Amino acid sequence: MTLSNLACTSLCTVIDRLEIGLIVLDKAHCILHWNRWLATRSGFSAEQAQGQALESIFPEISNSRLKLAVEHAIKDGLPSLLSPALHGTLLPLYLSAEDRRQEKRMQQLIHVLPLRDQASNLSCLIQISDMTANISRERLLRQQAENLRRSSTEDQLTQIANRRKFDETLANEFHKAQTRKKPLAIAIADIDLFHQYNDFYGRQAGDAALVEIANIFRSSVRPLADLVARYGGEEFAFILPGMSEVEACHFAESLRLRVVAQGLANESSSIAKHLTVSVGVTVMYPDNDADTHTLISSADVALYQAKHEGRNQAVCFSIEDGSFKACT
Amino acid sequence: MLDLSEMQRDALGEIFNIGVGRAAASLGQIVNDEVLLSAPSVQIVRGKDAARLLLGNELRQLSTVSQTFSGPFNAEATLVFPESNALEIVRLMVGPHMSVEELSEFEQEAMCEVGNIILNACMSSLADLFHISFESTLPLHRFGDVETISIINDDSERVMLVLQVDMMISQQRVQGHILFLLSVDSMCNLFSCLDNYLKAQGLA
């Protein structure tokens, strides 16, 4: 055996032992080499594959970027990468017979590299890596990250935004209203006599009532514009960008009416036979000196007035002239 | 050296436009939608001015894909996707709305591939028309800001070609802006290839 024969044998052995798929194509796109990794995962032995056009083994590549990439390598001598995100399961390669039965292809990262011989003739090397494990790990991590993100901004019980999300959104919307010179309305709704409801029906029923009311509120806001958050125990707060005072008053009153219409029985209440809410609302055109604290405390003042006037009311507080008016 | 004649500028614009057209067709195939890439505008600038050009567009977070081409002249080609726009297109191709920091390896490889398609298409049309050939490294993806892009900061006196391309995916109505920086070790060799091409066309 000559030295170069030995080198060739070892090289073929090495290629066969590799834990990635390797295909070498000649300039007519016919298969010269087909390693063992590929044979076990494709179901075609090296003997079956060699001398065939790649397309006759894998008909699915006929209109794919892999074919273009091979042409690019052989004609222009430039390398290409086919990412799992964009091509994923392009080739019918399977980890096991079971996967093959279920048509569960492995996720692939494919490199297409030009090979230049001493006479500068171009051929092509295709390298295939199994990305299945990486991708399922990434999906898991992403799912966990999404869960974490949700739990840090969402109220666990009612699944609407929590106080932290409210504060963040308020800061953003306040800044937007300042720069665009648009109004920003805030409403705060509080379930009337909720302590008594809890004492009478028990904490579990109390939680169920909170979820019901949160659902009413969630379906009352403009999905992409507004935010409703659980602000405290039985308090909910609304960020309503761009609403005028008339619109905000109408919105606050409609919240109150929708809760009444739901008719959640409440025998513990001295004001009605069902659960009711009081709502305070205010609108600000924030100038440069304005702050969110004034906005929130104005909505709070309005809520306090609604409670003071006998509950099951919606009241608006005017920041400009300090007056109250009933919402209609 | 820093000046391109109108003829040279038009010729480079046209040559790269052929490549950009091919890239658009390949990208369209991937997203199953019409991808439109505008005819590139060509400028030639010093590295430090390129930084200003990028900063001028208020690009903070950048995502870049680069390949090093070697041949009659050696070139480091870098595609710059400003965070706010062109990256949106890649996100659209691969999935949900994410910020640059959240792009995982999965999307980074997709960025690499999109960059690879555009860079190969542009450089191969250049090679075709100049009757030359290049070898190239595989694409490399990086995140960073203007300070961390080596092509701009390594050697600020070095001149480079800057191509600006607008990208649009028609049905999704997503628009983006991509910068193609081509830092050539010998601008003279590129110009002599260009002049030969113009002569062969009977234009110079």
Side-chain angles (χ1 to χ4, degrees):
Chain A
M1 188 181 275
T2 66
L3 194 62
S4 71
N5 267 347
L6 176 70
C8 182
T9 311
S10 327
L11 199 59
C12 289
T13 315
V14 169
I15 287 172
D16 261 346
R17 288 278 179 270
L18 282 177
E19 282 301 311
I20 53 168
L22 278 187
I23 306 169
V24 178
L25 299 179
D26 65 15
K27 63 178 182 203
H29 299 205
C30 285
I31 297 164
L32 293 177
H33 289 289
W34 181 267
N35 77 344
R36 193 180 295 170
W37 185 96
L38 210 59
T40 51
R41 283 149 183 89
S42 69
F44 292 96
S45 68
E47 290 72 27
Q48 286 172 306
Q50 272 156 8
Q52 301 278 333
L54 186 61
E55 235 179 297
S56 65
I57 302 281
F58 295 139
E60 42 272 273
I61 71 163
S62 67
N63 271 319
S64 73
R65 192 166 107 75
L66 179 58
K67 193 175 169 196
L68 292 176
V70 168
E71 279 164 12
H72 222 23
I74 291 177
K75 183 178 149 284
D76 303 314
L78 295 178
S80 299
L81 169 151
L82 277 72
S83 64
L86 299 181
H87 303 281
T89 53
L90 177 64
L91 300 175
L93 301 175
Y94 306 90
L95 265 178
S96 64
E98 179 58 27
D99 283 358
R100 179 180 289 277
R101 241 191 328 276
Q102 294 180 11
E103 247 310 302
K104 228 171 90 187
R105 296 182 181 190
M106 67 167 62
Q107 298 279 341
Q108 302 144 29
L109 168 64
I110 305 174
H111 290 101
V112 182
L113 307 165
L115 293 176
R116 221 178 274 264
D117 68 13
Q118 281 160 339
S120 267
N121 292 315
L122 283 165
S123 53
C124 168
L125 172 72
I126 302 174
Q127 178 185 317
I128 304 155
S129 313
D130 177 9
M131 302 300 285
T132 312
N134 302 41
I135 284 167
S136 52
R137 197 160 49 229
E138 262 188 34
R139 284 206 181 115
L140 186 70
L141 283 173
R142 176 160 301 160
Q143 187 58 50
Q144 285 173 343
E146 180 56 32
N147 291 347
L148 278 175
R149 188 186 359 234
R150 198 172 299 155
S151 68
S152 71
T153 57
E154 194 178 276
D155 176 56
Q156 220 177 349
L157 174 68
T158 58
Q159 292 182 340
I160 58 175
N162 63 12
R163 175 72 178 262
R164 175 207 291 243
K165 175 77 178 168
F166 177 86
D167 288 342
E168 274 174 22
T169 308
L170 179 61
N172 283 336
E173 290 299 337
F174 196 81
H175 180 69
K176 270 195 231 166
Q178 268 175 329
T179 50
R180 295 177 191 169
K181 310 211 178 311
K182 297 274 187 201
L184 180 60
I186 294 289
I188 303 178
D190 185 88
I191 305 177
D192 294 322
L193 305 170
F194 191 64
H195 272 296
Q196 292 170 22
Y197 184 90
N198 259 341
D199 290 345
F200 189 84
Y201 289 100
R203 189 166 290 276
Q204 225 175 345
D207 282 354
L210 283 168
V211 172
E212 285 260 9
I213 301 249
N215 287 339
I216 296 171
F217 288 167
R218 192 197 339 250
S219 62
S220 306
V221 297
R222 300 168 294 179
L224 295 175
D226 303 335
L227 180 89
V228 53
R230 189 170 174 202
Y231 196 62
E234 68 267 24
E235 252 184 6
F236 298 85
F238 300 78
I239 300 173
L240 311 161
M243 271 196 197
S244 66
E245 191 175 282
V246 173
E247 289 166 330
C249 280
H250 184 70
F251 174 82
E253 175 66 0
S254 76
L255 284 182
R256 186 188 72 78
L257 290 174
R258 288 187 74 168
V259 173
V260 169
Q262 193 76 9
L264 298 166
N266 181 10
E267 289 178 34
S268 71
S269 169
S270 51
I271 48 174
K273 294 240 177 300
H274 43 75
L275 273 178
T276 57
V277 292
S278 298
V279 190
V281 65
T282 194
V283 181
M284 186 188 249
Y285 282 80
D287 58 25
N288 290 337
D289 301 329
D291 57 60
T292 54
H293 178 74
T294 311
L295 187 57
I296 291 289
S297 51
S298 300
D300 248 337
V301 167
L303 174 64
Y304 184 80
Q305 185 66 19
K307 296 271 182 198
H308 183 71
E309 288 178 10
R311 301 188 171 89
N312 194 17
Q313 314 268 334
V315 170
C316 176
F317 175 70
S318 162
I319 296 176
E320 265 174 29
D321 61 15
S323 67
F324 293 106
K325 70 170 166 220
C327 296
T328 51
Chain B
M1 175 82 173
L2 263 174
D3 284 333
L4 278 173
S5 71
E6 203 165 315
M7 184 81 78
Q8 287 172 321
R9 188 191 306 273
D10 287 352
L12 281 175
E14 256 175 63
I15 290 167
F16 284 114
N17 193 29
I18 295 171
V20 159
R22 286 183 196 161
S26 299
L27 293 173
Q29 198 180 19
I30 293 175
V31 292
N32 278 324
D33 196 349
E34 191 180 13
V35 174
L36 303 167
L37 294 171
S38 72
S41 71
V42 183
Q43 279 171 286
I44 188 156
V45 296
R46 287 182 199 283
K48 58 184 179 190
D49 299 327
R52 203 175 311 134
L53 191 79
L54 292 173
L55 275 172
N57 290 342
E58 291 183 7
L59 311 174
R60 295 221 180 86
Q61 277 290 325
L62 303 171
S63 182
T64 67
V65 179
S66 51
Q67 282 177 239
T68 304
F69 293 85
S70 47
F73 50 89
N74 300 328
E76 191 184 344
T78 302
L79 275 190
V80 182
F81 297 85
E83 181 197 12
S84 50
N85 45 46
L87 199 53
E88 210 59 54
I89 291 166
V90 178
R91 276 186 223 148
L92 190 84
M93 287 180 180
V94 298
H97 188 89
M98 277 171 291
S99 74
V100 173
E101 295 78 18
E102 284 174 309
L103 281 184
S104 66
E105 204 180 327
F106 193 57
E107 285 82 26
Q108 291 191 42
E109 270 156 4
M111 285 287 299
C112 251
E113 178 170 353
V114 170
N116 182 223
I117 289 170
I118 298 173
L119 292 173
N120 275 1
C122 287
M123 293 305 283
S124 66
S125 66
L126 193 73
D128 277 354
L129 294 174
F130 286 180
H131 300 293
I132 55 177
S133 66
F134 291 110
E135 290 189 19
S136 168
T137 59
L138 278 164
L140 190 66
H141 179 253
R142 287 196 199 88
F143 286 128
D145 50 30
V146 172
E147 274 83 46
T148 57
I149 300 181
S150 62
I151 192 172
I152 297 170
N153 294 288
D154 275 359
D155 179 0
S156 60
E157 287 300 319
R158 186 163 158 169
V159 292
M160 64 176 77
L161 281 175
V162 178
L163 286 92
Q164 306 203 38
V165 179
D166 291 320
M167 186 186 203
M168 190 166 104
I169 300 183
S170 63
Q171 280 179 26
Q172 317 272 6
R173 294 179 192 286
V174 173
Q175 287 194 49
H177 185 70
I178 305 169
L179 287 172
F180 178 10
L181 309 179
L182 192 67
S183 172
V184 180
D185 65 343
S186 163
M187 206 49 99
C188 288
N189 287 358
L190 187 149
F191 281 173
S192 80
C193 287
L194 182 59
D195 289 338
N196 286 341
Y197 166 74
L198 287 171
K199 266 184 214 138
Q201 303 293 307
L203 293 170

